[in-house]
Amino acid sequence: MLIEAQAVAKRYGRDWVLKNLDFCLARGETVALVGPNGVGKTTLLRVLAGLVRPTSGTIKIHGRAGFLANPPAFHRHFSGTENLLFSLRLDGLVPDRTQIHQALDQVGLPHDKPLLSYSSGMRKRLAMARLRLQCPDIWLLDEPEATLDSQGRNLLESLVQEARGIGGVVIATHDQTWLSRMDRVVQLRPV
Amino acid sequence: MQRIFWLAWRDLVLEFRGRTGILSALFFLAVMLFILAMAFGPNPQDLQKAAPGVLWVALAFAGSLLAGRAFGLEVEDGTLDDLLLTPGSREWIYFGKLLFQFSLLVLVGLALLVLTAGLFYLPLQNLGWFMLVLLLGSLGYAAISTFYAGMLARLRGREVLLPLLLFPLVIPVVLAAVRFTQGLAEGIPVGELADWLRLLLVFDILYVTVCALIFPYMLEG
């Protein structure tokens, strides 16, 4: 198992977002998290990524988690190449520019254009390139299809297939077309 | 160790590309020193007497302007989560941000030293000792300001809260630095001033150690 979460609960102030939730993810498995807005899909992903501490419950993560946020965040004064270069260096990796340029080419992005001039779809593509280079065991994707054009969606689909071969994938989504392609669908209900 | 260096280097590159923090701090310093020089002058003896205090008060205020930059860059671009997602414990984030903040303070401190020497007749014949006290003072200040900047990074009103929390804790550092600088300016032998330097060193070690230990817990959401 890559993720074993038991009785997870999260409260912001007096409002419970998640309550008594069990969740698991096996290697090679793809899981879709679905449910209406505000049901806690993003919170669950952030808890699993280790960005938010749960109010109660236990979570065991076996492997490294990578998170594609919606919208993804990058430094706007850096180019795509610089953003990836520094991200990977801070991860403790030793990237070279050729490898980064290849990753940018794969997602159809320019190398040296500053992020200030990127659209939200381009930022999403850059986040996909970063995840591919980081190559985590657990891929946590928050509404990854949002703001992507049809070509971007094709890239995303190939990325998910690639991720399934490496580890496991959890996608929080409102897009019904994902559901038939996932191994499992987890329906979250309001607390 | 490499990650600490890369984080500090990345932040310095971003800071100099954006230029928001460093330019406002330098402009603030220049105006402040000019006004104080007008107020204390024109007698060179009076100016020289005020120089150590002016130097460190100006650096403390400029430091409070720069303090928010350590995490301000992350908050502006929403990239704090990416730092938290990096594998391993989170002490390195503190040390990377501390190195960035320390470098900014030393750069501003050097500009300040030159301005104070020019406007306030601060004698710089003991330049090596002036540099040492600048480095130690900046380290103590940066240790606390980086810690609080991280603690307040996600809060509204952090620009107001930061100096309020910062100044009470940096008093020992500023006090020791002022007294040592004052002694140097008056030509007192360094041996007689060593206690102030030791005090500065003790607070530097204490602040860096305690802040680095607490910082990872403070960042957890």
Side-chain angles (χ1 to χ4, degrees), chain A residues 152-180:
Chain A
R153 282 172 180 246
N154 291 338
L155 286 167
L156 178 63
E157 276 187 40
S158 65
L159 184 77
V160 170
Q161 290 309 319
E162 198 179 305
R164 187 201 289 248
I166 298 166
V169 185
V170 185
I171 299 181
T173 186
H174 292 288
D175 186 349
Q176 298 295 313
T177 58
W178 276 111
L179 306 187
S180 59

Side-chain angles (χ1 to χ4, degrees), chain A:
Chain A
M1 280 291 167
L2 289 170
I3 300 176
E4 291 171 90
Q6 284 188 322
V8 172
K10 179 65 191 172
R11 186 178 62 182
Y12 290 109
R14 288 181 178 178
D15 299 323
W16 288 94
V17 183
L18 299 171
K19 227 174 187 181
N20 204 25
L21 188 129
D22 295 333
F23 182 83
C24 62
L25 177 74
R27 191 170 283 279
E29 190 181 26
T30 54
V31 176
L33 296 177
V34 294
N37 291 134
V39 80
K41 299 187 293 296
T42 301
T43 301
L44 178 58
L45 287 184
R46 291 176 66 79
V47 167
L48 296 176
L51 291 171
V52 172
R53 195 211 300 239
T55 309
S56 62
T58 56
I59 299 170
K60 288 180 188 163
I61 302 284
H62 306 281
R64 197 199 151 189
F67 183 49
L68 193 152
N70 182 37
F74 291 99
H75 289 292
R76 65 209 141 108
H77 291 295
F78 279 160
S79 66
T81 304
E82 288 171 317
N83 264 297
L84 294 185
L85 206 57
F86 277 110
S87 274
L88 297 176
R89 278 173 180 162
L90 295 183
D91 276 352
L93 303 170
V94 190
D96 65 86
R97 278 182 185 263
T98 321
Q99 190 188 2
I100 285 171
H101 288 167
Q102 277 172 359
L104 288 170
D105 292 338
Q106 279 172 348
V107 293
L109 289 177
H111 299 171
D112 298 319
K113 210 172 170 183
L115 264 279
L116 279 167
S117 59
Y118 268 41
S119 69
S120 48
M122 289 165 85
R123 278 171 174 260
K124 193 63 75 78
R125 284 176 184 230
L126 187 60
M128 284 158 54
R130 180 168 63 186
L131 261 185
R132 183 175 261 156
L133 288 166
Q134 285 172 331
C135 202
D137 303 294
I138 301 159
W139 301 54
L140 304 167
L141 315 177
D142 190 11
E143 297 189 35
E145 70 287 342
T147 72
L148 283 176
D149 57 17
S150 59
Q151 196 195 9
R153 282 172 180 246
N154 291 338
L155 286 167
L156 178 63
E157 276 187 40
S158 65
L159 184 77
V160 170
Q161 290 309 319
E162 198 179 305
R164 187 201 289 248
I166 298 166
V169 185
V170 185
I171 299 181
T173 186
H174 292 288
D175 186 349
Q176 298 295 313
T177 58
W178 276 111
L179 306 187
S180 59
R181 282 172 267 158
M182 296 285 113
D183 297 325
R184 197 151 51 90
V185 176
V186 173
Q187 172 82 46
L188 295 183
R189 298 183 202 289
V191 174

Side-chain angles (χ1 to χ4, degrees), chain B residues 172-216:
Chain B
V173 172
V174 174
L175 179 73
V178 167
R179 297 307 296 266
F180 187 80
T181 312
Q182 194 176 24
L184 284 180
E186 287 169 3
I188 297 172
V190 174
E192 290 177 34
L193 300 168
D195 283 348
W196 293 112
L197 214 54
R198 281 192 207 105
L199 183 68
L200 200 50
L201 197 61
V202 166
F203 272 100
D204 282 0
I205 293 168
L206 182 74
Y207 283 165
V208 172
T209 310
V210 172
C211 291
L213 285 173
I214 303 173
F215 191 78

Side-chain angles (χ1 to χ4, degrees), chain B residues 32-76:
Chain B
M32 186 180 175
L33 287 192
F34 182 74
I35 292 170
L36 287 174
M38 291 293 117
F40 287 116
N43 186 349
Q45 277 79 31
D46 294 339
L47 285 168
Q48 199 175 11
K49 207 173 171 186
V54 168
L55 174 78
W56 283 99
V57 168
L59 190 59
F61 279 119
S64 78
L65 279 179
L66 291 172
R69 300 307 297 161
F71 286 88
L73 297 166
E74 309 293 348
V75 173
E76 281 168 20

